Amino acid sequence: MSVLVTGGAGFIGSHTCVELLNSGEEIVVLDNFCNSKPEVLDKIRQLTGKDFKFYEVDLLDPDGVEKVFAENDIEIVIHFAGLKAVGESVQKPLKYYHNNITGTLILCEAMKRHNVKKIVFSSSATVYGNPHTVPIKEDFPLSTTNPYGSTKLMLERILTDLNVADPEWNVTLLRYFNPIGAHKSGLIGENPNGIPNNLMPYICQVANGTLPRLNVFGDDYPTPDGTGVRDYIHVVDLAVGHVKAVERARELDGVNIYNLGTGTGYSVLDIVKAFEKANNLKIPYVIAPRRAGDIPACYADPTKAKEVLGWEAQYGIEEMCRDSWNYMLKQKEN
Ligand code: WQD
């Protein structure tokens, strides 16, 4: 039986495919390449020495999704496929709701038809909104401030309702904090199209001269140095968390929710300094106005994932910064 990885050519998806294959899982990958590239698939094969079936399918294509389930013996689905740019979601809410919600409904309908009722869902710490305190536990209040975050919260509720209606539905909700870094080989990593929204890819483009300087969005937050604090987690740690979640889903029923973070918060300026130290280079920056929708601080209490999944982050901020930059350097070489 196989693990179906939707969005498996993406940043987190590709790293998860590597860890799944390395742990002995059989996988089937589905992607529409709207925010990823076909060459990633061979990089996954190169890194693991293993092959897998791939389907270029858009989740909005019911016939394409049906074909994947009809042709493969799927045991569990890890569902990454979805649009994830916060700013774009504010500009294009219909695109985000249609793609992320309708796509997931089509996926779940195909799962139901084929009696596949185990799903690990790529959720996000964004469902916590602006937390009343930190670190954040899984039972904290949920609220969202942008359409992207609302699709994640709605999908958590939809999947939970599936379990209420039919307890055979086994749902794992993984709430990611801030994934950064790359596989140590530099063969796969984060390569967003256009000018990056997120901090680390933006810093990398300043480091390689593509962008002139970093704009630090506000230094007047109630944080140690006034800049935003986040829980940055190495993407390989995040990928391993999915392997553990798949293994646990074979033993646990119901709806299980886990924060996948390190439990340590770093400010924007902490990240700039760590990147400069890890890679021995300077990152010019200016203090700019706050970005709409940003919150002061967000970092996880990862105790539950440690106790129930037997998982905790292994990599520190230096490796995250070094691996992010190493990936960018390898991209330049190729
Ligand atoms: C991090 C910090 C910014 C860029 C978002 C989504 C979340 C997840 C990760 C998908 C903040 C500051 C950033 C820049 C800056 N995405 N910053 N200058 O906003 O915490 O989370 O991405 O799942 O769901 O909400 O990540 O990397 O955009 O920002 O000063 O050019 O860096 O203000 O404090 P964020 P980010």
Side-chain angles (χ1 to χ4, degrees):
M1 296 187 83
S2 300
V3 179
L4 171 62
V5 185
T6 77
F11 173 42
I12 303 170
S14 58
H15 286 83
T16 300
C17 288
V18 166
E19 299 306 324
L20 285 166
L21 289 168
N22 285 343
S23 67
E25 298 284 354
E26 295 284 323
I27 68 171
V28 173
V29 178
L30 173 160
D31 206 298
N32 69 356
F33 297 130
C34 78
N35 193 24
S36 55
K37 297 180 171 66
E39 53 264 30
V40 168
L41 301 171
D42 278 341
K43 300 281 176 57
I44 295 168
R45 295 184 177 104
Q46 182 182 342
L47 287 169
T48 60
K50 297 187 178 174
D51 200 2
F52 53 87
K53 285 170 78 175
F54 171 73
Y55 291 82
E56 185 174 354
V57 164
D58 188 319
L59 289 181
L60 295 175
D61 167 17
D63 295 338
V65 175
E66 171 57 25
K67 181 175 163 65
V68 176
F69 284 88
E71 295 180 358
N72 298 280
D73 185 10
I74 306 295
E75 174 202 5
I76 184 168
V77 175
I78 303 181
H79 179 31
F80 290 107
L83 299 174
K84 64 169 189 175
V86 171
E88 184 188 41
S89 79
V90 174
Q91 307 305 320
K92 302 175 181 174
L94 268 182
K95 176 181 179 182
Y96 271 67
Y97 285 116
H98 183 52
N99 185 81
N100 291 4
I101 306 291
T102 310
T104 304
L105 295 178
I106 291 169
L107 171 68
C108 289
E109 282 158 2
M111 290 174 69
K112 186 168 182 286
R113 278 197 305 275
H114 292 269
N115 200 33
V116 178
K117 295 184 177 179
K118 284 187 173 64
I119 184 166
V120 175
F121 176 57
S122 165
S123 190
S124 167
T126 203
V127 301
Y128 294 114
N130 186 1
H132 59 287
T133 185
V134 281
I136 298 171
K137 289 182 179 297
E138 287 83 355
D139 62 357
F140 270 29
L142 304 179
S143 71
T144 54
T145 58
N146 59 75
Y148 158 75
S150 296
T151 67
K152 291 298 185 185
L153 185 52
M154 288 175 190
L155 288 171
E156 287 198 1
R157 288 180 173 150
I158 288 167
L159 294 172
T160 300
D161 287 347
L162 283 179
N163 169 264
V164 170
D166 172 1
E168 282 190 16
W169 276 93
N170 172 317
V171 175
T172 301
L173 305 175
L174 299 181
R175 292 173 180 164
Y176 312 154
F177 282 72
N178 288 61
I180 61 172
H183 190 273
K184 60 184 177 302
S185 66
L187 290 177
I188 53 177
E190 188 174 19
N191 206 359
N193 304 325
I195 295 179
N197 297 302
N198 295 139
L199 180 64
M200 184 54 80
Y202 199 104
I203 286 176
C204 286
Q205 290 200 17
V206 171
N208 73 4
T210 304
L211 296 167
R213 71 189 69 76
L214 170 70
N215 298 302
V216 176
F217 296 144
D219 68 346
D220 57 351
Y221 285 104
T223 61
D225 66 14
T227 65
V229 171
R230 297 292 186 274
D231 186 331
Y232 297 94
I233 177 168
H234 198 293
V235 64
V236 173
D237 276 329
L238 201 56
V240 172
H242 286 75
V243 176
K244 298 284 190 184
V246 164
E247 291 165 357
R248 205 73 174 96
R250 292 176 174 131
E251 297 154 357
L252 283 183
D253 292 328
V255 180
N256 296 288
I257 304 171
Y258 306 98
N259 287 336
L260 294 189
T262 66
T264 303
Y266 287 99
S267 75
V268 176
L269 295 182
D270 287 336
I271 297 297
V272 169
K273 293 186 187 87
F275 190 92
E276 291 180 330
K277 180 167 181 272
N279 300 306
N280 191 27
L281 38 71
K282 281 304 283 176
I283 298 295
Y285 67 85
V286 292
I287 303 299
R290 291 182 176 190
R291 179 174 64 178
D294 273 354
I295 60 175
C298 173
Y299 55 91
D301 176 339
T303 305
K304 186 179 174 189
K306 182 174 181 179
E307 288 176 352
V308 180
L309 296 182
W311 170 92
E312 64 180 325
Q314 301 297 311
Y315 293 103
I317 201 67
E318 186 171 347
E319 289 102 327
M320 294 183 221
C321 291
R322 192 173 55 236
D323 292 342
S324 291
W325 180 232
N326 179 52
Y327 171 70
M328 290 296 275
L329 292 175
K330 288 281 191 310
Q331 294 313 295
K332 208 168 182 178
E333 288 166 16
N334 298 336

PDB file of all heavy atoms in Angstrom, residues 2 8-9 27 29 57 59 64 89 95 130 160 162-163 169 184 208 215 247 277 283-284 295 310 315-316 321:
ATOM      1  N   SER A   2       0.343   2.341  -0.561  1.00  0.00           N
ATOM      2  CA  SER A   2       1.164   3.547  -0.738  1.00  0.00           C
ATOM      3  C   SER A   2       0.626   4.734   0.047  1.00  0.00           C
ATOM      4  O   SER A   2      -0.567   4.806   0.364  1.00  0.00           O
ATOM      5  CB  SER A   2       1.184   3.938  -2.229  1.00  0.00           C
ATOM      6  OG  SER A   2       1.732   2.890  -2.995  1.00  0.00           O
ATOM      7  N   GLY A   8       3.473  17.000  -3.775  1.00  0.00           N
ATOM      8  CA  GLY A   8       4.756  16.372  -3.430  1.00  0.00           C
ATOM      9  C   GLY A   8       5.970  16.954  -4.139  1.00  0.00           C
ATOM     10  O   GLY A   8       7.103  16.607  -3.800  1.00  0.00           O
ATOM     11  N   ALA A   9       5.771  17.850  -5.098  1.00  0.00           N
ATOM     12  CA  ALA A   9       6.919  18.494  -5.764  1.00  0.00           C
ATOM     13  C   ALA A   9       7.220  19.860  -5.132  1.00  0.00           C
ATOM     14  O   ALA A   9       8.159  20.546  -5.536  1.00  0.00           O
ATOM     15  CB  ALA A   9       6.658  18.673  -7.262  1.00  0.00           C
ATOM     16  N   ILE A  27       5.516   5.520  -2.057  1.00  0.00           N
ATOM     17  CA  ILE A  27       4.731   6.752  -2.230  1.00  0.00           C
ATOM     18  C   ILE A  27       4.220   6.891  -3.659  1.00  0.00           C
ATOM     19  O   ILE A  27       4.776   6.314  -4.597  1.00  0.00           O
ATOM     20  CB  ILE A  27       5.551   8.012  -1.848  1.00  0.00           C
ATOM     21  CG1 ILE A  27       6.692   8.249  -2.850  1.00  0.00           C
ATOM     22  CG2 ILE A  27       6.041   7.930  -0.416  1.00  0.00           C
ATOM     23  CD1 ILE A  27       7.396   9.596  -2.638  1.00  0.00           C
ATOM     24  N   VAL A  29       3.009  10.334  -5.962  1.00  0.00           N
ATOM     25  CA  VAL A  29       3.040  11.791  -5.867  1.00  0.00           C
ATOM     26  C   VAL A  29       2.092  12.417  -6.890  1.00  0.00           C
ATOM     27  O   VAL A  29       2.011  11.968  -8.036  1.00  0.00           O
ATOM     28  CB  VAL A  29       4.478  12.327  -6.079  1.00  0.00           C
ATOM     29  CG1 VAL A  29       4.511  13.855  -6.036  1.00  0.00           C
ATOM     30  CG2 VAL A  29       5.403  11.753  -4.997  1.00  0.00           C
ATOM     31  N   VAL A  57      -1.523  16.192 -11.933  1.00  0.00           N
ATOM     32  CA  VAL A  57      -2.977  16.330 -11.782  1.00  0.00           C
ATOM     33  C   VAL A  57      -3.283  17.552 -10.935  1.00  0.00           C
ATOM     34  O   VAL A  57      -2.591  17.829  -9.942  1.00  0.00           O
ATOM     35  CB  VAL A  57      -3.563  15.069 -11.101  1.00  0.00           C
ATOM     36  CG1 VAL A  57      -4.976  15.316 -10.581  1.00  0.00           C
ATOM     37  CG2 VAL A  57      -3.551  13.880 -12.048  1.00  0.00           C
ATOM     38  N   LEU A  59      -6.034  19.118  -8.419  1.00  0.00           N
ATOM     39  CA  LEU A  59      -7.108  18.580  -7.564  1.00  0.00           C
ATOM     40  C   LEU A  59      -8.474  19.079  -8.019  1.00  0.00           C
ATOM     41  O   LEU A  59      -9.502  18.515  -7.662  1.00  0.00           O
ATOM     42  CB  LEU A  59      -6.871  18.956  -6.100  1.00  0.00           C
ATOM     43  CG  LEU A  59      -5.719  18.247  -5.394  1.00  0.00           C
ATOM     44  CD1 LEU A  59      -5.622  18.693  -3.934  1.00  0.00           C
ATOM     45  CD2 LEU A  59      -5.872  16.730  -5.476  1.00  0.00           C
ATOM     46  N   GLY A  64      -9.012  13.340 -13.057  1.00  0.00           N
ATOM     47  CA  GLY A  64      -7.581  13.123 -12.814  1.00  0.00           C
ATOM     48  C   GLY A  64      -7.345  12.554 -11.429  1.00  0.00           C
ATOM     49  O   GLY A  64      -6.544  11.624 -11.238  1.00  0.00           O
ATOM     50  N   SER A  89      -3.636  35.930  -1.172  1.00  0.00           N
ATOM     51  CA  SER A  89      -4.973  35.455  -0.775  1.00  0.00           C
ATOM     52  C   SER A  89      -5.891  36.633  -0.445  1.00  0.00           C
ATOM     53  O   SER A  89      -7.107  36.573  -0.673  1.00  0.00           O
ATOM     54  CB  SER A  89      -4.874  34.511   0.425  1.00  0.00           C
ATOM     55  OG  SER A  89      -4.704  35.205   1.649  1.00  0.00           O
ATOM     56  N   LYS A  95      -9.977  32.812  -5.679  1.00  0.00           N
ATOM     57  CA  LYS A  95      -8.984  31.849  -6.187  1.00  0.00           C
ATOM     58  C   LYS A  95      -8.532  30.929  -5.054  1.00  0.00           C
ATOM     59  O   LYS A  95      -8.424  29.705  -5.237  1.00  0.00           O
ATOM     60  CB  LYS A  95      -7.786  32.614  -6.756  1.00  0.00           C
ATOM     61  CG  LYS A  95      -6.633  31.755  -7.242  1.00  0.00           C
ATOM     62  CD  LYS A  95      -5.488  32.610  -7.775  1.00  0.00           C
ATOM     63  CE  LYS A  95      -4.316  31.748  -8.231  1.00  0.00           C
ATOM     64  NZ  LYS A  95      -3.161  32.591  -8.704  1.00  0.00           N
ATOM     65  N   ASN A 130      -3.723  35.947  16.342  1.00  0.00           N
ATOM     66  CA  ASN A 130      -2.770  36.655  17.204  1.00  0.00           C
ATOM     67  C   ASN A 130      -2.923  36.076  18.613  1.00  0.00           C
ATOM     68  O   ASN A 130      -3.846  36.447  19.336  1.00  0.00           O
ATOM     69  CB  ASN A 130      -3.077  38.159  17.207  1.00  0.00           C
ATOM     70  CG  ASN A 130      -2.019  38.956  17.967  1.00  0.00           C
ATOM     71  OD1 ASN A 130      -1.048  38.371  18.476  1.00  0.00           O
ATOM     72  ND2 ASN A 130      -2.229  40.249  18.047  1.00  0.00           N
ATOM     73  N   THR A 160     -12.575  17.501  10.393  1.00  0.00           N
ATOM     74  CA  THR A 160     -13.108  17.097  11.701  1.00  0.00           C
ATOM     75  C   THR A 160     -14.565  16.636  11.569  1.00  0.00           C
ATOM     76  O   THR A 160     -14.960  15.604  12.126  1.00  0.00           O
ATOM     77  CB  THR A 160     -13.008  18.275  12.687  1.00  0.00           C
ATOM     78  OG1 THR A 160     -11.629  18.659  12.818  1.00  0.00           O
ATOM     79  CG2 THR A 160     -13.560  17.911  14.064  1.00  0.00           C
ATOM     80  N   LEU A 162     -15.885  15.296   8.973  1.00  0.00           N
ATOM     81  CA  LEU A 162     -15.881  13.981   8.312  1.00  0.00           C
ATOM     82  C   LEU A 162     -15.752  12.883   9.370  1.00  0.00           C
ATOM     83  O   LEU A 162     -16.434  11.862   9.325  1.00  0.00           O
ATOM     84  CB  LEU A 162     -14.716  13.879   7.317  1.00  0.00           C
ATOM     85  CG  LEU A 162     -14.864  14.583   5.985  1.00  0.00           C
ATOM     86  CD1 LEU A 162     -13.603  14.379   5.147  1.00  0.00           C
ATOM     87  CD2 LEU A 162     -16.083  14.068   5.231  1.00  0.00           C
ATOM     88  N   ASN A 163     -14.898  13.126  10.342  1.00  0.00           N
ATOM     89  CA  ASN A 163     -14.707  12.133  11.406  1.00  0.00           C
ATOM     90  C   ASN A 163     -15.942  12.023  12.277  1.00  0.00           C
ATOM     91  O   ASN A 163     -16.334  10.927  12.699  1.00  0.00           O
ATOM     92  CB  ASN A 163     -13.492  12.510  12.268  1.00  0.00           C
ATOM     93  CG  ASN A 163     -13.420  11.679  13.531  1.00  0.00           C
ATOM     94  OD1 ASN A 163     -13.885  12.125  14.586  1.00  0.00           O
ATOM     95  ND2 ASN A 163     -12.909  10.463  13.426  1.00  0.00           N
ATOM     96  N   TRP A 169     -12.985   7.878   9.552  1.00  0.00           N
ATOM     97  CA  TRP A 169     -12.064   8.926   9.074  1.00  0.00           C
ATOM     98  C   TRP A 169     -11.039   9.219  10.171  1.00  0.00           C
ATOM     99  O   TRP A 169     -11.389   9.571  11.299  1.00  0.00           O
ATOM    100  CB  TRP A 169     -12.808  10.205   8.687  1.00  0.00           C
ATOM    101  CG  TRP A 169     -13.362  10.179   7.307  1.00  0.00           C
ATOM    102  CD1 TRP A 169     -14.608   9.793   6.935  1.00  0.00           C
ATOM    103  CD2 TRP A 169     -12.678  10.531   6.106  1.00  0.00           C
ATOM    104  NE1 TRP A 169     -14.750   9.884   5.575  1.00  0.00           N
ATOM    105  CE2 TRP A 169     -13.580  10.338   5.038  1.00  0.00           C
ATOM    106  CE3 TRP A 169     -11.387  10.988   5.815  1.00  0.00           C
ATOM    107  CZ2 TRP A 169     -13.234  10.583   3.702  1.00  0.00           C
ATOM    108  CZ3 TRP A 169     -11.045  11.253   4.510  1.00  0.00           C
ATOM    109  CH2 TRP A 169     -11.961  11.039   3.457  1.00  0.00           C
ATOM    110  N   LYS A 184      20.371  19.083   3.045  1.00  0.00           N
ATOM    111  CA  LYS A 184      21.787  19.467   3.162  1.00  0.00           C
ATOM    112  C   LYS A 184      22.535  19.312   1.825  1.00  0.00           C
ATOM    113  O   LYS A 184      23.579  19.924   1.608  1.00  0.00           O
ATOM    114  CB  LYS A 184      22.495  18.665   4.253  1.00  0.00           C
ATOM    115  CG  LYS A 184      22.500  17.162   4.070  1.00  0.00           C
ATOM    116  CD  LYS A 184      23.161  16.475   5.277  1.00  0.00           C
ATOM    117  CE  LYS A 184      23.113  14.969   5.162  1.00  0.00           C
ATOM    118  NZ  LYS A 184      21.732  14.433   5.044  1.00  0.00           N
ATOM    119  N   ASN A 208      22.350  37.020  -2.504  1.00  0.00           N
ATOM    120  CA  ASN A 208      22.940  36.732  -3.827  1.00  0.00           C
ATOM    121  C   ASN A 208      22.841  37.924  -4.771  1.00  0.00           C
ATOM    122  O   ASN A 208      23.109  37.802  -5.970  1.00  0.00           O
ATOM    123  CB  ASN A 208      22.292  35.479  -4.454  1.00  0.00           C
ATOM    124  CG  ASN A 208      20.868  35.725  -4.949  1.00  0.00           C
ATOM    125  OD1 ASN A 208      20.376  36.853  -4.905  1.00  0.00           O
ATOM    126  ND2 ASN A 208      20.211  34.666  -5.404  1.00  0.00           N
ATOM    127  N   ASN A 215      13.874  44.701   3.853  1.00  0.00           N
ATOM    128  CA  ASN A 215      13.010  45.642   4.575  1.00  0.00           C
ATOM    129  C   ASN A 215      12.512  44.924   5.828  1.00  0.00           C
ATOM    130  O   ASN A 215      11.805  43.910   5.707  1.00  0.00           O
ATOM    131  CB  ASN A 215      11.812  46.055   3.704  1.00  0.00           C
ATOM    132  CG  ASN A 215      12.258  46.773   2.449  1.00  0.00           C
ATOM    133  OD1 ASN A 215      12.927  47.791   2.517  1.00  0.00           O
ATOM    134  ND2 ASN A 215      11.936  46.194   1.287  1.00  0.00           N
ATOM    135  N   GLU A 247       3.159   7.115  10.661  1.00  0.00           N
ATOM    136  CA  GLU A 247       3.316   5.913  11.498  1.00  0.00           C
ATOM    137  C   GLU A 247       2.285   5.904  12.632  1.00  0.00           C
ATOM    138  O   GLU A 247       1.661   4.882  12.918  1.00  0.00           O
ATOM    139  CB  GLU A 247       4.750   5.864  12.056  1.00  0.00           C
ATOM    140  CG  GLU A 247       5.796   5.587  10.986  1.00  0.00           C
ATOM    141  CD  GLU A 247       7.227   5.885  11.450  1.00  0.00           C
ATOM    142  OE1 GLU A 247       7.413   6.359  12.601  1.00  0.00           O
ATOM    143  OE2 GLU A 247       8.156   5.663  10.645  1.00  0.00           O
ATOM    144  N   LYS A 277      26.243  35.243  10.327  1.00  0.00           N
ATOM    145  CA  LYS A 277      27.289  34.458  11.030  1.00  0.00           C
ATOM    146  C   LYS A 277      27.491  33.092  10.358  1.00  0.00           C
ATOM    147  O   LYS A 277      28.606  32.675  10.081  1.00  0.00           O
ATOM    148  CB  LYS A 277      26.875  34.295  12.489  1.00  0.00           C
ATOM    149  CG  LYS A 277      27.847  33.513  13.361  1.00  0.00           C
ATOM    150  CD  LYS A 277      27.513  33.685  14.853  1.00  0.00           C
ATOM    151  CE  LYS A 277      28.512  32.924  15.725  1.00  0.00           C
ATOM    152  NZ  LYS A 277      28.055  31.504  15.917  1.00  0.00           N
ATOM    153  N   ILE A 283      24.097  41.231   5.440  1.00  0.00           N
ATOM    154  CA  ILE A 283      22.753  41.428   4.866  1.00  0.00           C
ATOM    155  C   ILE A 283      22.325  42.862   5.156  1.00  0.00           C
ATOM    156  O   ILE A 283      21.950  43.206   6.278  1.00  0.00           O
ATOM    157  CB  ILE A 283      21.729  40.452   5.479  1.00  0.00           C
ATOM    158  CG1 ILE A 283      22.120  39.006   5.166  1.00  0.00           C
ATOM    159  CG2 ILE A 283      20.312  40.746   4.965  1.00  0.00           C
ATOM    160  CD1 ILE A 283      22.068  38.659   3.680  1.00  0.00           C
ATOM    161  N   PRO A 284      22.422  43.754   4.162  1.00  0.00           N
ATOM    162  CA  PRO A 284      21.961  45.133   4.394  1.00  0.00           C
ATOM    163  C   PRO A 284      20.456  45.171   4.625  1.00  0.00           C
ATOM    164  O   PRO A 284      19.716  44.429   3.972  1.00  0.00           O
ATOM    165  CB  PRO A 284      22.339  45.864   3.100  1.00  0.00           C
ATOM    166  CG  PRO A 284      22.541  44.812   2.068  1.00  0.00           C
ATOM    167  CD  PRO A 284      22.903  43.551   2.782  1.00  0.00           C
ATOM    168  N   ILE A 295       1.678  39.664  13.146  1.00  0.00           N
ATOM    169  CA  ILE A 295       1.477  39.627  14.599  1.00  0.00           C
ATOM    170  C   ILE A 295       2.842  39.760  15.261  1.00  0.00           C
ATOM    171  O   ILE A 295       3.868  39.446  14.637  1.00  0.00           O
ATOM    172  CB  ILE A 295       0.776  38.315  15.037  1.00  0.00           C
ATOM    173  CG1 ILE A 295       1.608  37.081  14.665  1.00  0.00           C
ATOM    174  CG2 ILE A 295      -0.615  38.235  14.421  1.00  0.00           C
ATOM    175  CD1 ILE A 295       1.028  35.770  15.189  1.00  0.00           C
ATOM    176  N   GLY A 310       6.586  11.193  19.232  1.00  0.00           N
ATOM    177  CA  GLY A 310       7.990  10.830  19.449  1.00  0.00           C
ATOM    178  C   GLY A 310       8.894  11.638  18.531  1.00  0.00           C
ATOM    179  O   GLY A 310       9.907  11.168  18.036  1.00  0.00           O
ATOM    180  N   TYR A 315      17.362  20.347  14.252  1.00  0.00           N
ATOM    181  CA  TYR A 315      18.284  21.334  13.690  1.00  0.00           C
ATOM    182  C   TYR A 315      18.097  22.706  14.336  1.00  0.00           C
ATOM    183  O   TYR A 315      16.972  23.139  14.596  1.00  0.00           O
ATOM    184  CB  TYR A 315      18.052  21.449  12.172  1.00  0.00           C
ATOM    185  CG  TYR A 315      18.423  20.205  11.409  1.00  0.00           C
ATOM    186  CD1 TYR A 315      17.438  19.336  10.947  1.00  0.00           C
ATOM    187  CD2 TYR A 315      19.746  19.881  11.174  1.00  0.00           C
ATOM    188  CE1 TYR A 315      17.761  18.181  10.251  1.00  0.00           C
ATOM    189  CE2 TYR A 315      20.088  18.727  10.474  1.00  0.00           C
ATOM    190  CZ  TYR A 315      19.096  17.894  10.021  1.00  0.00           C
ATOM    191  OH  TYR A 315      19.423  16.750   9.343  1.00  0.00           O
ATOM    192  N   GLY A 316      19.208  23.409  14.502  1.00  0.00           N
ATOM    193  CA  GLY A 316      19.154  24.755  15.079  1.00  0.00           C
ATOM    194  C   GLY A 316      19.182  25.824  13.995  1.00  0.00           C
ATOM    195  O   GLY A 316      19.244  25.520  12.793  1.00  0.00           O
ATOM    196  N   CYS A 321      19.977  28.436   8.513  1.00  0.00           N
ATOM    197  CA  CYS A 321      20.511  29.534   7.683  1.00  0.00           C
ATOM    198  C   CYS A 321      21.540  29.010   6.678  1.00  0.00           C
ATOM    199  O   CYS A 321      21.543  29.398   5.515  1.00  0.00           O
ATOM    200  CB  CYS A 321      21.167  30.590   8.584  1.00  0.00           C
ATOM    201  SG  CYS A 321      19.984  31.492   9.599  1.00  0.00           S
TER     202      CYS A 321
END
